[in-house]
Amino acid sequence: VLNFKYRGSPLIPEMATQEVQLNETLAHLKTESETLKSKLEEERAKLHDVELHQVAEKVEGLGQFVMKTRRTLKGHGNKVLCMDWCKDKRRIVSSSQDGKVIVWDAFTTNKEHAVTMPCTWVMACAYAPSGCAVACGGLDNKCSVYPLSLDKNENLAAKKKSVAMHTNYLSACSFTNSDMQILTSSGDGTCALWDVESGQLLQSFHGHAADVLCLDLAPSETGNTFVSGGCDKKANVWDMRSGQCIQSFETHESDINSVRYYPSGDAFASGSDDATCRLYDLRADREVAIYSKESIIFGVSSVDFSLSGRLLFGGYNDYTINVWDVLKGTRVSILFGHENRVSTLRVSPDGTAFSTGSWDHTLRVCDDCYFLSNLTTLQPRVTFLVTSCNVCCFSLFFFFLSDLGLRMRTQRMKW
Amino acid sequence: HVTNDANQRALSKEWQKSDIIARMQDEKSGIPIRTVKSFLTKIPSVFSGSEIVQWMIKNLDIEDQVEALHLGTLMAAHGYFFPISDHVLTLKDDGTFYRFQTPYFWPSNCWEPENTDYAVYLCKRTMQNKARLELADYEAESLARLQRAFARKWEFIFMQAEAQAKVDKKRDKIERKILDSQERAFWDVHRPVPGCVNTTEVDIKKSSRMKNPHKTRKVVGVLLPFLLRSRLITMKHRREQTGLLFLAVIVNRHRLKMSKVAESLLAYTEQYVEYDPFLTPPDPSNPWISDDTTLWELEASKEPGQQRVKRWAFGIDEVFKDPVGREQFLKFLESEFSSENLRFWLAVQELKKRPIREVPTRVQEIWQEFLAPGAPSAINVDSKSYAKTTQNVKDPGRYAFEDAQEHIYKLMKSDSYSRFIRSSAYQELLQAKKKVQNTKSFPSLFTPSCSDKYSTGGRADVVLLRYL
């Protein structure tokens, strides 16, 4: 369409006026849209009576955390682009730019399976809930499922099943709570739900105005919703049954690279190229917190919450991981270690660790260094004890003095 | 979709970095730039590494030297300033001299130089007879490789290099020094020293949109004939209209006040803090730290620990999430002869997980078991849901029982679930491990619920208590 050459014939006057009319109605629609958008912001602002970090002042601070790398997984020959945990809390699947997809037992750091995809830039991979299969895709515009065989010698590529078909790159994929359905997002601006066995499209989701880069399923047992983020700076919440967009948020200033639900399912966090992470609450229908610093000027590639939702981990394009106190909005830890961009980050299913993948070809599994972290939080308590002891001593001393003074006065009066 | 927005987008990603650079270069509040006299020469327009670090700590919200060095090294690696005597782009907190890069060479301009440009540059370097401009080993290797690759057009490359060298010679000596170093720094970014990170590598998802934003602009505006243009406009119309419909619906949706929402978020994190391994060391230990998988083995066993059972009381979803919880709930309901509700709910959940091919048969089976007249495990749903379900079953899909399931869920939540939590069976499970734990745990001065293990996963405050 866009390569069609102009034939040079003169426009008929009627056609010309039609075109003008069409443009006018389009402009009219746009102004109506702008009015509604400002009305929406008005309605949202009416209920904005307090900030999250103000309410969180009454919560005890976390102090500084010290994080440490516990495992380093080496074996990829190029940039690691994506990873996912198995429900068994120790296995990981990862995919990279050179087309390799590797399944690791991260606990022992052993490689258990490896598949070579027919394309480069495998940007999405996911572990099936049963642990018996993995899904992956990227520049091939498809999402394929590989059943994992217990026989190490078996050629996994032979059993490959093509499930999803998009018209542009696959940016993310996730199994629903079953091995039988996969949710995908793509550079073609859509998300889609597929039946794995037949490859049938069950539902498609249209509404993003540009590439969709990420998605996350709501953690509820009964819920049927998911959130997606895209290059149009929007985060959309979708109803999986109807295919409709039910909520939309547009406060980021650049592409949204990652979205993740808060563990209760009532809110979600996003990470963007504008170097900020933001928290959006679904009940308040607005952005409720921004996690940013003047000195953080590189984009966020991926985010995830700790199990209680108190900590937000962000993998950044400046090779670091920043850990945020979700309620107070402050940074509680910064982790160096990767030698290139952090491209993917996920907390393990039981929250005991988080794993990161990077353009430096490695994956790391990281943890809290309990002893050191607690030592720094201990100091305020110790100083409180010491000060309160001092206060007690001084007040006792003064009481003694005043008591003495009183006795002396009464003595004088007696005289 | 690609418009001139793509170019704008690329620029906006870089604005934060150029904003910091602009502040660094500010005459009054920036880093002082000076000319340094050294031996018989002058070194123009430089500042030291320490000065950069100091400026960052003072002017940005950076807390320590480590962070400043990290950020500074990244800015150097991206080419915003560079060490004048080193190809490797890092920031050092000492007297090493640095210079600002000219905006012409900034990465935000997003032009990717070709190998022919690099060949011309290296060739030009060999024409200049200055010791400081000698090629490094890796550069000499690159030049040799390029000579082989461009053997046929080498004459042309040579001519370009000559022409550039001529222009350079005419420049002022000081100006030449500065420009030469800036050009070299540009190539250090785009053709880095082997082993260094190439910061010009772009994520392919973004690069495909950054390419050719100009082409599409031109085409849409001028070359497209009327018919195709009007088609595009009607597409835009449709998009605007759906957008409007969506906005009209959500403008008046029900919203909660921020204060309520904030309290809810606080309450949730408070409730789960003892289950979060990043905030409370797990009992007996965190496997990743102690290399001991006991924690996972305990969770896999059929015997649920007290902490896990306690969680079921937080809400009905917690029971459904935990397979042992579901089992116990089902057992309890069976003892009351009222398990059909839960069995129906579980069956419908299972239905939604099946491949689409199996759905019609499963729907019939569920209908027969739970809802058909004379069903063996008849459940009670309101008449509205029943009518709807009867219709759905005729054309069975994954969501055939959605209304009925919702009704049953609400029923279980308000009735059976609260009885389960109050039941003696649940209370017994809750008490079961308590006695065993009491003999082992020590009361802590600081926190009531504290692990008694002093392994690497233990808590420092308990250790302190022992010494007190």
Side-chain angles (χ1 to χ4, degrees):
Chain A
V1 169
L2 295 173
N3 287 327
F4 201 100
K5 284 215 176 95
Y6 184 55
R7 294 296 154 121
S9 54
L11 289 175
I12 303 166
E14 289 162 9
M15 282 184 165
T17 37
Q18 254 187 50
E19 189 173 339
V20 169
Q21 275 174 352
L22 276 171
N23 273 321
E24 266 176 26
T25 19
L26 186 63
H28 179 68
L29 280 174
K30 282 194 175 158
T31 35
E32 247 193 80
S33 182
E34 290 306 309
T35 334
L36 266 180
K37 276 189 189 163
S38 31
K39 177 124 196 286
L40 176 62
E41 288 315 309
E42 249 180 68
E43 291 297 315
R44 280 174 168 169
K46 276 183 195 166
L47 298 163
H48 187 196
D49 52 348
V50 75
E51 295 286 347
L52 176 61
H53 63 84
Q54 288 171 316
V55 178
E57 270 163 26
K58 60 186 174 192
V59 180
E60 202 183 303
L62 292 172
Q64 286 295 305
F65 277 71
V66 178
M67 303 276 175
K68 221 177 156 198
T69 302
R70 303 292 176 186
R71 303 286 191 279
T72 307
L73 306 178
K74 295 189 184 164
H76 275 293
N78 211 321
K79 307 180 180 68
V80 177
L81 302 175
C82 186
M83 56 86 38
D84 191 18
W85 287 91
C86 176
K87 283 224 157 65
D88 73 357
K89 307 152 198 167
R90 55 189 286 172
R91 284 180 173 74
I92 284 178
V93 61
S94 61
S95 64
S96 87
Q97 188 197 341
D98 62 2
K100 283 244 170 34
V101 175
I102 300 179
V103 175
W104 318 73
D105 177 352
F107 193 70
T108 58
T109 72
N110 289 335
K111 294 191 243 322
E112 295 196 335
H113 304 271
V115 178
T116 308
M117 293 278 284
C119 68
T120 58
W121 288 90
V122 186
M123 297 177 263
C125 64
Y127 227 119
S130 67
C132 299
V134 293
C136 50
L139 278 189
D140 57 358
N141 300 357
K142 291 192 245 176
C143 184
S144 313
V145 176
Y146 292 85
L148 294 174
S149 158
L150 288 169
D151 178 6
K152 299 277 165 83
N153 294 321
E154 197 178 342
N155 182 14
L156 286 182
K159 290 244 176 101
K160 165 179 163 176
K161 176 181 260 179
S162 242
V163 176
M165 293 273 263
H166 279 280
T167 53
N168 208 329
Y169 64 83
L170 188 83
S171 53
C173 65
S174 172
F175 284 88
T176 60
N177 52 9
S178 147
D179 280 21
M180 295 295 135
Q181 282 114 37
I182 286 191
L183 190 60
T184 59
S185 66
S186 164
D188 66 12
T190 68
C191 300
L193 181 67
W194 311 82
D195 178 64
V196 172
E197 197 199 48
S198 61
Q200 191 186 333
L201 173 68
L202 296 172
Q203 184 64 259
S204 68
F205 306 89
H206 298 261
H208 276 288
D211 307 19
V212 187
L213 295 178
C214 51
L215 58 82
D216 190 34
L217 279 151
S220 160
E221 294 297 295
T222 53
N224 271 319
T225 58
F226 73 94
V227 61
S228 66
C231 293
D232 56 355
K233 312 176 203 168
K234 285 205 199 135
N236 290 339
V237 181
W238 307 87
D239 178 330
M240 286 211 286
R241 185 180 167 192
S242 63
Q244 293 301 313
C245 174
I246 52 182
Q247 272 177 286
S248 185
F249 304 89
E250 194 176 352
T251 60
H252 270 293
E253 292 165 19
S254 188
D255 302 355
I256 297 179
N257 297 315
S258 172
V259 285
R260 196 72 65 207
Y261 269 96
Y262 184 79
S264 72
D266 294 319
F268 68 90
S270 60
S272 159
D273 274 346
D274 66 6
T276 67
C277 302
R278 292 174 201 237
L279 185 69
Y280 298 91
D281 188 285
L282 300 174
R283 300 159 297 185
D285 190 39
R286 59 176 296 121
E287 172 195 291
V288 299
I290 305 183
Y291 307 99
S292 68
K293 276 189 121 197
E294 216 180 356
S295 52
I296 299 178
I297 54 175
F298 287 84
V300 188
S301 63
S302 51
V303 294
D304 205 352
F305 286 99
S306 74
L307 203 133
S308 66
R310 183 69 193 267
L311 298 174
L312 179 68
F313 301 97
Y316 287 71
N317 290 342
D318 66 1
Y319 320 171
T320 64
I321 295 136
N322 287 295
V323 187
W324 302 90
D325 179 333
V326 170
L327 302 176
K328 292 190 183 276
T330 53
R331 183 177 67 186
V332 295
S333 186
I334 178 168
L335 188 59
F336 301 99
H338 275 298
E339 292 162 20
N340 205 327
R341 284 195 205 188
V342 178
S343 53
T344 176
L345 184 154
R346 296 294 296 259
V347 172
S348 75
D350 64 348
T352 48
F354 67 88
S355 171
T356 55
S358 161
W359 279 18
D360 69 3
H361 310 188
T362 68
L363 292 121
R364 283 165 189 251
V365 179
C366 304
D367 226 316
D368 186 15
C369 214
Y370 297 115
F371 185 78
L372 286 174
S373 293
N374 283 339
L375 207 57
T376 55
T377 52
L378 189 59
Q379 278 165 353
R381 290 189 185 129
V382 172
T383 42
F384 173 71
L385 245 184
V386 172
T387 348
S388 51
C389 279
N390 284 336
V391 169
C392 283
C393 289
F394 275 123
S395 46
L396 275 170
F397 182 63
F398 284 127
F399 182 80
F400 175 69
L401 276 180
S402 58
D403 184 59
L404 196 67
L406 200 67
R407 269 198 237 140
M408 280 170 73
R409 259 218 303 249
T410 41
Q411 290 274 24
R412 241 186 287 148
M413 275 171 73
K414 272 189 194 168
W415 292 340
Chain B
H1 289 153
V2 182
T3 60
N4 62 338
D5 273 353
N7 217 16
Q8 291 270 323
R9 214 179 291 126
L11 287 171
S12 74
K13 270 190 278 179
E14 296 290 314
W15 76 264
Q16 284 140 326
K17 301 177 193 95
S18 40
D19 181 58
I20 290 188
I21 284 291
R23 284 165 64 190
M24 279 182 167
Q25 289 179 302
D26 184 71
E27 269 174 34
K28 292 178 203 144
S29 56
I31 303 175
I33 304 173
R34 57 188 195 281
T35 302
V36 171
K37 290 209 174 116
S38 140
F39 303 127
L40 298 164
T41 60
K42 284 190 219 168
I43 308 177
S45 186
V46 289
F47 43 93
S48 74
S50 318
E51 283 175 317
I52 302 176
V53 174
Q54 287 313 309
W55 186 92
M56 281 184 166
I57 292 180
K58 188 172 161 212
N59 291 279
L60 301 174
D61 53 3
I62 284 182
E63 282 127 46
D64 60 30
Q65 187 227 37
V66 174
E67 256 192 85
L69 282 176
H70 180 84
L71 178 60
T73 298
L74 269 172
M75 297 197 78
H78 276 77
Y80 286 98
F81 53 76
F82 56 92
I84 60 171
S85 325
D86 202 343
H87 282 290
V88 178
L89 304 168
T90 55
L91 177 62
K92 294 191 187 134
D93 189 11
D94 55 22
T96 316
F97 288 128
Y98 291 81
R99 196 171 278 147
F100 282 117
Q101 180 61 283
T102 172
Y104 179 72
F105 282 140
W106 280 1
S108 48
N109 295 334
C110 286
W111 55 275
E112 195 51 43
E114 311 257 342
N115 276 330
T116 41
D117 299 316
Y118 192 40
V120 168
Y121 167 69
L122 287 175
C123 199
K124 182 175 70 166
R125 283 269 297 277
T126 58
M127 293 174 184
Q128 291 158 332
N129 287 329
K130 298 261 158 81
R132 65 174 164 86
L133 297 171
E134 250 175 41
L135 291 182
D137 287 340
Y138 78 94
E139 286 177 310
E141 276 174 40
S142 298
L143 182 58
R145 236 184 320 113
L146 288 166
Q147 272 174 326
R148 286 195 298 273
F150 296 131
R152 271 190 250 151
K153 49 174 166 177
W154 196 255
E155 212 179 298
F156 178 61
I157 289 175
F158 191 85
M159 270 165 51
Q160 281 195 301
E162 252 185 345
Q164 281 189 20
K166 255 194 194 157
V167 171
D168 283 348
K169 278 210 176 87
K170 291 190 185 146
R171 279 196 231 273
D172 167 55
K173 196 174 166 196
I174 297 288
E175 209 190 321
R176 262 192 81 182
K177 255 190 188 171
I178 298 176
L179 283 173
D180 278 348
S181 68
Q182 286 173 335
E183 195 183 10
R184 193 196 69 183
F186 171 80
W187 287 109
D188 287 338
V189 171
H190 288 269
R191 297 286 185 275
V193 177
C196 289
V197 172
N198 185 341
T199 58
T200 62
E201 277 187 315
V202 188
D203 186 340
I204 204 167
K205 296 180 282 202
K206 320 275 174 165
S207 70
S208 55
R209 280 159 40 239
M210 273 155 59
K211 280 184 199 155
N212 309 321
H214 313 289
K215 247 193 197 168
T216 32
R217 237 190 311 165
K218 241 191 272 174
V219 170
V220 173
V222 175
L223 299 178
L224 226 47
F226 167 75
L227 287 169
L228 288 160
R229 273 207 301 274
S230 67
R231 192 146 168 240
L232 269 172
I233 297 173
T234 18
M235 269 169 61
K236 286 188 188 171
H237 257 251
R238 219 176 299 143
R239 212 191 302 154
E240 283 297 323
Q241 276 167 337
T242 25
L244 266 175
L245 282 169
F246 170 70
L247 280 171
V249 165
I250 63 167
V251 156
N252 295 314
R253 71 172 278 137
H254 174 63
R255 292 177 186 86
L256 284 186
K257 263 201 285 192
M258 261 309 298
S259 42
K260 260 201 169 158
V261 152
E263 291 295 339
S264 161
L265 290 170
L266 257 70
Y268 186 89
T269 49
E270 179 81 13
Q271 194 175 48
Y272 284 88
V273 86
E274 65 177 286
Y275 297 92
D276 187 339
F278 276 94
L279 300 173
T280 310
D283 182 17
S285 68
N286 187 324
W288 298 100
I289 301 175
S290 62
D291 282 337
D292 171 18
T293 57
T294 317
L295 178 74
W296 291 335
E297 287 157 23
L298 285 174
E299 266 172 36
S301 75
K302 286 290 179 173
E303 296 264 318
Q306 188 218 25
Q307 216 190 20
R308 188 172 168 185
V309 174
K310 185 170 139 189
R311 208 169 155 170
W312 301 343
F314 292 170
I316 194 172
D317 277 350
E318 287 291 342
V319 174
F320 287 152
K321 251 198 281 185
D322 189 343
V324 179
R326 281 200 302 268
E327 220 182 281
Q328 291 297 323
F329 190 28
L330 190 64
K331 231 163 115 184
F332 166 72
L333 290 174
E334 276 169 359
S335 70
E336 291 197 331
F337 303 102
S338 62
S339 66
E340 61 277 352
N341 281 344
L342 181 58
R343 282 190 292 118
F344 169 71
W345 190 88
L346 290 170
V348 177
Q349 286 294 91
E350 195 49 43
L351 165 73
K352 288 191 272 191
K353 293 183 188 177
R354 302 311 304 158
I356 200 93
R357 174 182 50 91
E358 293 177 18
V359 165
T361 11
R362 279 300 292 154
V363 168
Q364 287 305 321
E365 285 171 10
I366 294 175
W367 172 258
Q368 289 302 320
E369 177 72 21
F370 296 99
L371 287 161
S377 315
I379 57 169
N380 274 327
V381 282
D382 60 300
S383 47
K384 196 172 166 200
S385 308
Y386 193 82
K388 231 178 168 188
T389 315
T390 326
Q391 279 295 81
N392 290 344
V393 170
K394 292 184 186 151
D395 181 19
R398 288 161 64 234
Y399 295 104
F401 298 109
E402 204 64 5
D403 296 290
Q405 197 194 21
E406 218 180 294
H407 178 90
I408 292 294
Y409 176 80
K410 285 191 187 136
L411 204 66
M412 282 196 293
K413 191 170 173 180
S414 57
D415 183 40
S416 338
Y417 170 68
S418 23
R419 278 189 289 119
F420 169 61
I421 296 301
R422 290 197 302 266
S423 74
S424 52
Y426 176 75
Q427 293 300 325
E428 256 174 55
L429 278 172
L430 200 58
Q431 306 291 330
K433 298 286 158 104
K434 218 177 190 180
K435 281 193 190 144
V436 184
Q437 279 198 338
N438 260 338
T439 53
K440 275 197 197 161
S441 68
F442 285 73
S444 162
L445 190 66
F446 301 106
T447 41
S449 57
C450 174
S451 163
D452 60 324
K453 296 289 159 130
Y454 308 119
S455 62
T456 42
R459 288 179 70 101
D461 47 7
V462 180
V463 175
L464 198 68
L465 181 62
R466 284 180 97 195
Y467 289 111
L468 285 176

